[in-house]
Every structure is written in structure tokens, then in C-alpha cells.
Amino acid sequence: MELNVKEIVGVWDKGFSLDKHTIRSIRTGYNEYGHPEFKTLRTDIGEALFQLKYRSDFSQCAVIAQSINDHIIPLLPLISFIIAMPPSKIRQKQPVVEIAEALSHLTDKPCINDILLKSKNTLQMKDIPDRQVRIDTLLDAFELNSDAIAMKLPAASYNVLIIDDLFDTGTSLEAATRKLRECGKIGEIFVATATRKV
């Protein structure tokens, strides 16, 4: 698999993305409802993510997790545990959670997904034009689970790796990072995404 790992900069301490999601997308016409149709050429990891999210091919979780393990984990300082970005859509099986759990097995680091919760439904972020409003909306929707923190983080300082599927504007990762910084037991915060928009 060809990859083009790139650092992604934000309020977190260090972050990386495996590759761009799309190489190019060409409009091929319109469907019977008048909506444009496109032929999309994706990167290898972009195609793996597409197959996972939109074709329910959960075998791609192992491929994506292995790529993160091989190409991003070595670029990070010591991590204590992994969390998946809380999902915005309700699904029977959550792709990002499955990637995070597969990565947990590869790294032998626990995946603790009940520390940061999404306690409120929000609008789709693409429907909120102002970046700061998007961040504030997500900060209000995210919640730290104090019971899970007390039970699963008994010591003082843990470095956490947040896993997400696609890095676009970074508002979700920024809100998650800011919320996690409210927890006195979290040290450094790192992020890893399968793909990025640009």
C-alpha cells in the first residue's frame, strides 16, 4: 500500500494522517434525480476507508490499523491508551471504534472509549459555517465520564492517542482535545487519522 504520511497541526501535541483521501473526482453527469454523479479516484488508504464506511467491509479495519501502527505510531512519543473519536452517526458497528480496537491489539495499548462521550446530538458540522461555532457546539456535546476516569485512570498522567477517520477542518479533533485537557489525568494528546481532505 502506498502512503503519504503528513503531520497535521492543531491544539493537540502531535498528529499525523496516513494520506489524502481523494486524488481526483470528475463529474460524469447527472442521475435520474438531477444530482451530479462523479468518478472518484482515491488513494489506497482512501479506498480502504471508503470500503469500510460505505460498503461495510470491516476487514479494512485491520488494514487501516496496521498502516497506523507501521507508519504513525513510530513517530509518536509513548502513548498510554487509545480512544476513538466519539461517533457522530448511530451505527450498529462504528468504523472508527473498530479501527481503534484493532490498533489496540497491535500496539498492546488499551482502547478506552468510555472516557470521552458524545452526550448530545448535533447538526452535521458541514451545516455550521463558522468554525468557532462548530467547536463550541462540539465542546458542549462532548462529556468526560468521571466514573470511567476514576476507575480506568488511577495514576496521574496518561498520554492519549485519538483515532479518527478523516481530517478535514480539524474542528472535531480540536473539540475532543480541548475537552480531554479538562481532565487532570491526561498528559499529552496525540491524533492519528486514516485520511485527510487535502
Side-chain angles (χ1 to χ4, degrees), residues 72-114:
I72 294 179
I73 296 295
L75 302 174
L76 299 173
L78 179 69
I79 60 170
S80 309
F81 68 93
I82 297 165
I83 66 170
M85 174 63 74
S88 54
K89 267 187 189 175
I90 296 172
R91 288 182 168 112
Q92 195 168 18
K93 220 171 164 182
Q94 294 292 351
V96 175
V97 171
E98 297 293 321
I99 294 168
E101 288 176 354
L103 183 63
S104 169
H105 292 298
L106 292 170
T107 59
D108 204 26
K109 300 293 180 187
C111 184
I112 308 176
N113 288 322
D114 57 351

Side-chain angles (χ1 to χ4, degrees), residues 16-125:
F16 294 92
S17 170
L18 289 171
D19 207 341
K20 286 170 45 171
H21 189 80
T22 301
I23 296 170
R24 70 178 166 273
S25 194
I26 301 164
R27 188 167 57 200
T28 57
Y30 295 88
N31 66 17
E32 66 270 21
Y33 304 106
H35 301 294
E37 292 184 320
F38 296 89
K39 180 175 182 178
T40 302
L41 179 62
R42 299 177 189 87
T43 61
D44 291 344
I45 204 75
E47 185 61 32
L49 186 61
F50 175 83
Q51 292 299 323
L52 169 61
K53 288 182 71 176
Y54 301 104
R55 300 295 182 263
S56 298
D57 179 1
F58 279 85
S59 70
Q60 299 300 328
C61 293
V63 173
I64 296 167
Q66 188 68 59
S67 297
I68 292 171
N69 186 57
D70 293 347
H71 299 279
I72 294 179
I73 296 295
L75 302 174
L76 299 173
L78 179 69
I79 60 170
S80 309
F81 68 93
I82 297 165
I83 66 170
M85 174 63 74
S88 54
K89 267 187 189 175
I90 296 172
R91 288 182 168 112
Q92 195 168 18
K93 220 171 164 182
Q94 294 292 351
V96 175
V97 171
E98 297 293 321
I99 294 168
E101 288 176 354
L103 183 63
S104 169
H105 292 298
L106 292 170
T107 59
D108 204 26
K109 300 293 180 187
C111 184
I112 308 176
N113 288 322
D114 57 351
I115 286 176
L116 180 66
L117 306 174
K118 194 165 183 197
S119 58
K120 294 180 186 173
N121 289 327
T122 59
L123 292 171
Q124 288 285 318
M125 291 300 106

